[in-house]
Each structure stands twice: as structure tokens, then as C-alpha cells.
Amino acid sequence: MSDPPHVAITIANSIFIITCTVGNCLVCAVVLRNRDMRIPFNYLLVNLAAADISYAIFEVPNIILRHHVYHPEGLAGTLLCTTLTGTNLSWVGGRASMITLLVIAIERYFAVVHPHGNKGKLTNRKLKVIIPGIWIIAFIYRLPSAKKTYVATSQRCVSSLPTETKESIDIAFRVLKFILIALLVVLYARVVYALWFKRSGNAVTHHQQAVLRLRKRVTLMVVTVSVFFAISWGGDTLLHILKDRSFKLSPLAIPIAHVMIMFNAAVNPFAYALINERFRQKMKEMFGSGSRSLAAKTFVTSERKPQGIQMANMSVKQKEQMSKDNFSE
């Protein structure tokens, strides 16, 4: 594995692992260190960041160390394959990332398409069930194919299941993955239509326009993240299906697909920073740009002073909704 293409793939993976870990730790710090960022929706982003971090960190033994460190055989090799080098823990993080994206899509659907109902409203109380549930489902999702053994001749960890059983499980999981992607497409299609194309017959107030702009920014951010996810994970799944059907693929096809998955895990913090103004502002403050952000806040506040009479005429409910949308931008 010392040929130039595989060296390049290992280097790319190493860069994305570092970027993913640092960037997503920054996302967690931004939400947890700022009281105004601690809202249910942002906690879902923290969970997504934690899932991406766990995927990246537990891929290190498989991507980097296995080319340079001796892998034991026998019982020790089986234990190591089942826990670390067989990618089980990294794929738990990957599955948690997928499920979290689906939960985010459902939250956006109810927030935009059915904004006045409480059925899909995300609360801290619901999160105490949702977030542990995501990780439990992700763990169960990986459990059937968890046990692996080390084969010294091929220097790989392979499943201990019978071939037919393994193929059936793989097919079922791949179908579930495409169903998840299809659900994301359907949910976000409804959300995008409601935000950008649906016409309201009633006059829109300034407050409603502001809420609409904020919802568009949040939706654009999560749609961008979901598109990267669908391309990377969907492409990897498609390549594995072709491989199992004996299609002739380049030896680099699947390793490059895995690089794209790692890129997807690393790119999310950049999507938050580029699209979401509030995240970008908090990240700048984390890097010592607090004074410039404070000056910008002062300027914006002074510009908004003439709107005081308008704010005074708003109902208490409208003000609370405006505050909530500002926090979740």
C-alpha cells in the first residue's frame, strides 16, 4: 500500500480527519459556551458534530495505523477487529450522523410547513429521548455484522457471518440507507417549496419577512449538509452494490468514496460558518475577534433603533417567536 495513489488517499484522509475533529469540536464549543446558542435545534447540530468526530477518530486505526502497525492474530486479532480495526465503532458514528440528519429534516419540516402546531416542535425534554435514541439505534444498526476476524493473508478484518447471511444484511442496510436519503429529499422538497415558491394570499408583515429570511438561512445550511451527505454516502453505497454484482471497478474507486465520506464529515462546520451568520460570528469570537463582532453588533443595533415603535406594537407572542428564530439562525 505504499504506491503513490494509496499514499495520496492516506494523506487526504489524514487531513480530513484532523479538519473534521477540530472543526466539529469548534461547533460543539460554540453552542455549549454561548447561552444564546443553547437551543434544541443547535443541540442536534452538536450531536451531528459528535457523530462525525467519532466516525473520524475511529477510522484512524483502519485508514492510517493498519499500514504501519503490526496487527495481532488469534483471539487478540478478533477482539481488535471487532472493536477498532474492523471499523465497527466508526460506522456507529456514521449511522448516528445519518439518523441525526433525518431528525433535523423532520424538525425543519414541522417548523416550516406546520409552524403553528406543537406535534413536531423540538424541546429539550424531547431531546433527552431523541439523542440517546439516535445512538442506541445506530449501535443496534451495526450489531448484526459486528463480529469480525483478522485474516493474515489478506491483512484485513472480515465478517464472521456466513456469506449468504452477510449479503442479506448488507442488502437490507443499503436499502435502508437509500430510503433515508429518499426521506431527506421528500422532506426538504416540501420545506423548500414552502419557503421559496409557495405564495401567501395575505399581506406579509415585517416580522414575518424577518422570520422567513431566518428560516431560509437555516434551511439552506441543513440542505447543503444533507446534499453532501447524500452524494458521499449514496455514492459509496452504489459502488459497493456494483462491486457485489461483479462489476469491474477501479481498485481506487471505493477508497476514494471513503475519502468523500470523510470529506463530508469535515465539511459541515464550514457550511455552518459560510451560511449561518450567527455561527460565523460566534466562531470569530472564539478566535479572538470579539471586539470586531461587538462593533458590528453596536452598528446593527443603532441601525435598528427606528424600528422601536414597530417592535413595541408587536404582540408578546411575536416577540418571543422573533427571539427564538434569531437564536436558531
Side-chain angles (χ1 to χ4, degrees):
M1 292 292 182
S2 60
D3 53 298
H6 284 95
V7 170
I9 287 172
T10 301
I11 292 172
N13 273 317
S14 302
I15 292 171
F16 291 143
I17 286 171
I18 295 170
T19 305
C20 170
T21 304
V22 174
N24 283 294
C25 282
L26 181 60
V27 169
C28 295
V30 164
V31 174
L32 299 177
R33 289 184 58 178
N34 294 278
R35 185 178 296 274
D36 60 341
M37 298 293 286
R38 297 178 205 160
I39 59 168
F41 179 81
N42 286 347
Y43 281 126
L44 284 179
L45 297 184
V46 169
N47 193 63
L48 180 61
D52 287 339
I53 291 169
S54 65
Y55 172 74
I57 289 176
F58 288 118
E59 274 291 289
V60 170
N62 180 54
I63 292 174
I64 302 172
L65 298 184
R66 75 187 182 99
H67 300 311
H68 308 286
V69 178
Y70 168 75
H71 197 294
E73 300 177 37
L75 180 60
T78 299
L79 290 173
L80 201 57
C81 277
T82 303
T83 53
L84 289 176
T85 54
T87 71
N88 281 325
L89 292 178
S90 64
W91 288 117
V92 169
R95 301 302 184 264
S97 178
M98 295 180 191
I99 301 167
T100 303
L101 283 171
L102 179 59
V103 173
I104 290 173
I106 294 170
E107 188 279 337
R108 285 291 87 195
Y109 171 79
F110 280 103
V112 173
V113 180
H114 302 288
H116 303 299
N118 291 321
K119 184 179 179 180
K121 186 178 179 181
L122 195 64
T123 63
N124 287 329
R125 186 176 180 179
K126 289 180 181 179
L127 280 179
K128 291 177 181 179
V129 176
I130 291 173
I131 291 179
I134 288 172
W135 288 94
I136 292 171
I137 293 171
F139 181 78
I140 294 172
Y141 190 97
R142 189 62 187 173
L143 203 56
S145 55
K147 188 178 179 182
K148 296 186 177 184
T149 56
Y150 182 70
V151 179
T153 53
S154 61
Q155 297 183 334
R156 292 177 57 202
C157 294
V158 298
S159 175
S160 300
L161 294 172
T163 303
E164 291 184 0
T165 304
K166 180 182 179 302
E167 288 178 353
S168 299
I169 291 173
D170 288 343
I171 290 171
F173 286 163
R174 287 164 189 167
V175 169
L176 285 174
K177 201 180 298 183
F178 280 120
I179 289 174
L180 187 147
I181 293 174
L183 286 173
L184 290 177
V185 171
V186 171
L187 289 169
Y188 281 128
R190 293 290 305 275
V191 171
V192 168
Y193 173 77
L195 287 176
W196 276 275
F197 300 102
K198 188 176 181 180
R199 302 298 179 197
S200 175
N202 301 324
V204 180
T205 66
H206 290 291
H207 166 71
Q208 290 172 329
Q209 289 177 349
V211 170
L212 184 62
R213 284 195 299 270
L214 295 171
R215 285 177 176 170
K216 283 182 177 181
R217 291 177 192 171
V218 175
T219 300
L220 180 61
M221 178 183 72
V222 293
V223 166
T224 301
V225 169
S226 298
V227 167
F228 279 121
F229 159 79
I231 292 172
S232 57
W233 286 91
D236 175 74
T237 303
L238 183 59
L239 286 175
H240 277 90
I241 291 173
L242 293 176
K243 181 184 176 183
D244 292 345
R245 295 295 176 269
S246 301
F247 277 79
K248 190 175 181 180
L249 299 175
S250 166
L252 297 176
I254 290 179
I256 290 174
H258 290 171
V259 171
M260 292 303 298
I261 292 176
M262 191 62 69
F263 170 77
N264 170 70
V267 78
N268 290 351
F270 293 95
Y272 304 155
L274 290 174
I275 300 173
N276 191 300
E277 183 181 349
R278 198 164 192 80
F279 259 102
R280 184 166 62 251
Q281 173 187 322
K282 297 297 183 181
M283 286 181 179
K284 285 181 179 179
E285 291 176 1
M286 291 280 291
F287 284 107
S289 301
S291 57
R292 287 195 297 272
S293 297
L294 183 59
K297 281 183 185 177
T298 305
F299 174 76
V300 171
T301 302
S302 64
E303 288 291 307
R304 289 180 178 175
K305 279 184 179 179
Q307 298 179 2
I309 297 176
Q310 180 188 348
M311 289 293 293
N313 292 329
M314 283 186 183
S315 68
V316 173
K317 186 175 181 180
Q318 285 178 317
K319 290 179 182 178
E320 289 177 351
Q321 180 64 39
M322 187 69 173
S323 175
K324 188 182 298 181
D325 287 321
N326 276 331
F327 288 162
S328 63
E329 180 192 354

